[in-house]
Amino acid sequence: MSKPKLTVIEGGIPYLIKTKQKLLVSAYVTNTRLMGVLALYAHWRISGTDEMLDFHQFFYIDCEESGLETYTGILGSDHSEIDATEQALVGGLGAEKIEISYPQLSGILTFYRMFNEAHGLPLPKGYREYSFLLEPGTILSPDEHTDVMRLICGEITSDYQAVNYFLMRCFGQDHRAAAFLAAGDFDLDIYAGYKGATFCKNTIDKDHVYDDGATAYLCESLIERKGNYEIIISRVIVRDLKIVGLKHCSGFAVSSAEAAMMLAKPEFVTVYEVLLSEEDMENNIGELTISFNTIMSEQENGRLFMAFKKNNDHVNSRVFRLSNDVKGIYYLTDFGQLIIASYTLHEIRYLENQLKASPLAPFLIATAKYEFKEPVLFEFMQSDFEDFDDFLNFIRDE
């Protein structure tokens, strides 16, 4: 008895992508290369079907370690799904969306496909949906690559901004981006021993002004690596908004308690009782995500909604803190409390006013307001307490 002949009928998005014509409607990339990440979006129209179909692609790139990391494809025009995907991907980057052409889109993705291959990293799932951008792909010329770097890095407007970004890229082992900020011939690899380090804080002080207009700055950087903290002193020389010199002066370890003191800042908290049922709150959860421009994450006893600032101006400061990109926090507990927190009085009032203007306002009762010398909300989230006031009473007793 002979075996039956089976025919595999290909279908779904990969089949449409492979067999139908595609028209690029628009594409953008975020100008966050100097923060070490990029997000890309492409909107296509697929013809040759009974009706013209929209196809949306989202990519996320970790320029330091993971390369081309995540991909999401959406067929159709479900705007709630598209907005939610974009919010989850781009909402925390403080980014401008820079319009790009097909060669630039393909060129960026091809570059990070090669990055993944060179580092033995897998490409994200769904390859058959985006393989047409990478096969054969676009290899940017040196001049084209420089043009793209100008787009995705944004404009440097001050010495503080140049120094903070430069040290951030050096500690991140991201020498390509560090070189984009530099001019001249000097070693960019002096912090090679800090792979995987987090650039938590940096304080810049002017040291010397040279006759040619260059300025030397002494930088005190707080670095975290594998749960350990160090203070690194660097001397960075800037001329015409370019780094022209770098020297490692000294470094020493600090305890977690000392690092916490260095990173401490006030926290303003407002507590609300939620009058909606769990089901009704679930149906209105979009008010805390899309409407408030937040990114949601599940916690053990609730859900955390992080609201980020719309740009990365916190890098353009004499004292840089990594956490200063956070505008505020909404924490919805599983036990009927909504707690909001921010690091300044101005921003906690902004969060309160957003809630007052939202459809949730009639179902929220403010029960308490606090000002703390250092953040406590995350401690509450990690505790076993169901009620924020009970948690405060406990730590007061301690």
Side-chain angles (χ1 to χ4, degrees):
M1 184 176 178
S2 61
K3 293 182 180 179
K5 294 182 179 180
L6 300 178
T7 302
V8 177
I9 301 175
E10 191 175 8
I13 297 176
Y15 175 75
L16 290 173
I17 291 294
K18 181 179 178 180
T19 60
K20 306 301 180 183
Q21 286 187 324
K22 300 171 292 296
L23 170 67
L24 181 63
V25 178
S26 64
Y28 72 71
V29 63
T30 58
N31 64 339
T32 50
R33 177 65 182 84
L34 295 178
M35 296 299 294
V37 296
L38 289 173
L40 296 97
Y41 164 78
H43 175 197
W44 304 87
R45 287 234 170 85
I46 301 175
S47 62
T49 60
D50 292 338
E51 59 178 331
M52 191 79 78
L53 294 174
D54 288 291
F55 181 48
H56 305 266
Q57 294 180 303
F58 294 90
F59 300 88
Y60 183 86
I61 296 170
D62 177 345
C63 306
E64 292 182 13
E65 296 181 356
S66 305
L68 183 50
E69 186 177 283
T70 63
Y71 163 77
T72 301
I74 300 173
L75 185 64
S77 297
D78 184 338
H79 293 292
S80 61
E81 184 182 7
I82 294 166
D83 291 345
T85 302
E86 183 176 57
Q87 178 61 26
L89 194 71
V90 181
L93 300 185
E96 290 183 38
K97 301 169 187 176
I98 308 300
E99 187 175 345
I100 53 175
S101 63
Y102 176 86
Q104 291 169 329
L105 171 69
S106 177
I108 295 169
L109 293 173
T110 302
F111 178 88
Y112 283 100
R113 181 205 69 194
M114 295 189 294
F115 178 98
N116 283 39
E117 291 171 352
H119 292 81
L121 299 168
L123 290 170
K125 294 179 180 179
Y127 180 76
R128 291 170 65 203
E129 293 184 16
Y130 61 86
S131 61
F132 71 96
L133 288 164
L134 302 176
E135 296 176 3
T138 302
I139 306 297
L140 299 173
S141 70
D143 286 344
E144 288 171 333
H145 189 85
T146 299
D147 290 341
V148 167
M149 283 294 285
R150 290 195 184 103
L151 289 178
I152 62 181
C153 290
E155 184 183 7
I156 299 297
T157 59
S158 76
D159 285 4
Y160 289 155
Q161 192 183 28
V163 169
N164 284 325
Y165 272 134
F166 178 76
L167 289 176
M168 194 190 305
R169 295 301 92 227
C170 286
F171 282 110
Q173 315 302 303
D174 186 0
H175 302 125
R176 180 177 293 273
F180 179 78
L181 295 166
D185 184 19
F186 60 95
D187 188 7
L188 298 173
D189 201 24
I190 64 173
Y191 293 124
Y194 291 89
K195 186 175 181 180
T198 300
F199 190 65
C200 301
K201 183 180 177 182
N202 191 50
T203 303
I204 305 171
D205 289 301
K206 187 180 290 187
D207 181 50
H208 184 74
V209 178
Y210 295 91
D211 291 340
D212 65 356
T215 303
Y217 297 94
L218 285 177
C219 302
E220 181 183 282
S221 307
L222 177 64
I223 304 300
E224 183 273 328
R225 183 171 176 267
K226 295 182 178 179
N228 299 312
Y229 291 88
E230 288 186 54
I231 293 289
I232 307 296
I233 308 299
S234 310
R235 193 169 190 264
V236 184
I237 303 175
V238 186
R239 183 174 59 241
D240 298 329
L241 300 179
K242 288 287 187 179
I243 310 301
V244 296
L246 170 66
K247 180 183 178 182
H248 174 214
C249 301
S250 62
F252 54 90
V254 295
S255 68
S256 297
E258 290 172 312
M261 290 180 63
M262 295 175 194
L263 295 172
K265 50 186 175 181
E267 183 177 63
F268 296 86
V269 172
T270 304
V271 182
Y272 296 88
E273 180 184 353
V274 181
L275 302 181
L276 287 170
S277 68
E278 185 176 337
E279 182 181 354
D280 287 338
M281 190 68 235
E282 194 66 34
N283 292 334
N284 287 276
I285 206 68
E287 291 301 324
L288 292 176
T289 52
I290 301 299
S291 298
F292 289 176
N293 195 34
T294 65
I295 295 177
M296 185 186 78
S297 60
E298 297 283 348
Q299 305 296 313
E300 186 172 350
N301 295 311
R303 279 175 283 190
L304 174 67
F305 303 83
M306 299 284 288
F308 292 90
K309 295 177 181 175
K310 293 183 178 180
N311 55 52
N312 288 304
D313 285 353
H314 66 294
V315 182
N316 191 7
S317 176
R318 188 184 77 84
V319 180
F320 163 81
R321 295 172 188 263
L322 184 61
S323 63
N324 276 359
D325 64 338
V326 176
K327 190 174 188 66
I329 300 165
Y330 303 83
Y331 181 54
L332 180 64
T333 76
D334 292 336
F335 309 101
Q337 283 186 321
L338 176 63
I339 305 164
I340 63 173
S342 193
Y343 302 127
T344 69
L345 188 59
H346 170 75
E347 285 173 345
I348 194 67
R349 286 174 176 166
Y350 173 84
L351 299 187
E352 291 172 345
N353 288 334
Q354 271 205 313
L355 283 174
K356 287 178 183 177
S358 79
L360 296 176
F363 308 101
L364 299 175
I365 298 176
T367 59
K369 295 188 179 188
Y370 302 97
E371 178 183 351
F372 302 101
K373 291 183 178 179
E374 57 188 48
V376 300
L377 179 55
F378 280 101
E379 290 185 43
F380 168 67
M381 290 166 50
Q382 294 165 6
S383 74
D384 294 325
F385 284 90
E386 298 177 1
D387 185 271
F388 188 70
D389 291 321
D390 292 343
F391 168 76
L392 292 184
N393 290 332
F394 174 78
I395 61 175
R396 284 178 185 134
D397 292 341
E398 276 195 329

